[in-house]
Amino acid sequence: MKNALAIILLMLNGAVIAQNYPVGHTTITFNDPARTGGFGSGGGTGRQIQTEIYYPATSAGDDTPFAATTAPVIVFGHGFVMSWDAYMNLVDHFVPLGYILAFPRTEGSFTPDHLDFGKDLVIVGNRMEQENTNSSSIFYNKYNGKKGVVGHSMGGGATFLAAAESNASFDLAVGLAPAETNPSAVTAAANNTLPGII
């Protein structure tokens, strides 16, 4: 599974040069003023979308400076009642190669709203793009213009809901054992025009 994911994610990075960047980490709470709920606080009015973000850094740790490179963004949707830290194997593999991984922490309950989770994936992707122009951000001038949405199980289904959103601007969609959602991820995937893999 990791090899298939690596092949499709190569599309995001263009040229792959062997690197071994230390893993930096930060937490940002984004918001969607058009909706309510979510998880986290401090992101402004509306729905709170606390996001754990891992990135190529100059040294390992929290809020360390970004490495002297630019990177693609992977927004990752977790599985049903799973948390972002269940996917540290992906962080440990992809961040040293030069990827930014962003994990929204919303919809982790036993009664998730799949459509809200899909919309959260879009908001995180769009806000990570905006961080590139924020001179006070760790991610200032660090985004290389490529962005993918990836998810596992429920998050895999939500990946295709996200790709179907009108304000989504992803370059690819990847579902790792995607689950059916409500509304239907199967219907959304059938209409998906992005490069991708399941």
Side-chain angles (χ1 to χ4, degrees), residues 70-188:
T70 59
V73 171
I74 300 169
V75 181
F76 193 96
H78 62 78
F80 179 66
V81 296
M82 294 182 72
S83 67
W84 88 99
D85 54 1
Y87 303 97
M88 291 306 293
N89 60 323
L90 297 177
V91 169
D92 293 341
H93 180 79
F94 287 106
V95 173
L97 296 176
Y99 292 87
I100 301 166
L101 270 68
F103 296 88
R105 293 183 59 181
T106 56
E107 301 308 321
S109 74
F110 283 99
T111 57
D113 184 308
H114 302 142
L115 185 57
D116 269 336
F117 196 38
K119 289 179 178 184
D120 293 346
L121 297 173
V122 172
I123 291 290
V124 170
N126 291 345
R127 298 295 166 79
M128 285 302 296
E129 205 171 324
Q130 291 172 8
E131 288 292 303
N132 189 57
T133 61
N134 177 357
S135 62
S136 64
S137 172
I138 291 170
F139 304 103
Y140 179 61
N141 286 336
K142 295 300 182 179
Y143 171 56
N144 77 355
K146 297 290 186 177
K147 180 173 52 172
V149 60
V150 180
H152 166 243
S153 187
M154 176 189 77
T159 288
F160 293 100
L161 299 178
E165 286 290 310
S166 62
N167 63 334
S169 60
F170 294 109
D171 296 295
L172 62 87
V174 178
L176 304 176
E180 176 62 312
T181 57
N182 182 18
S184 174
V186 172
T187 300

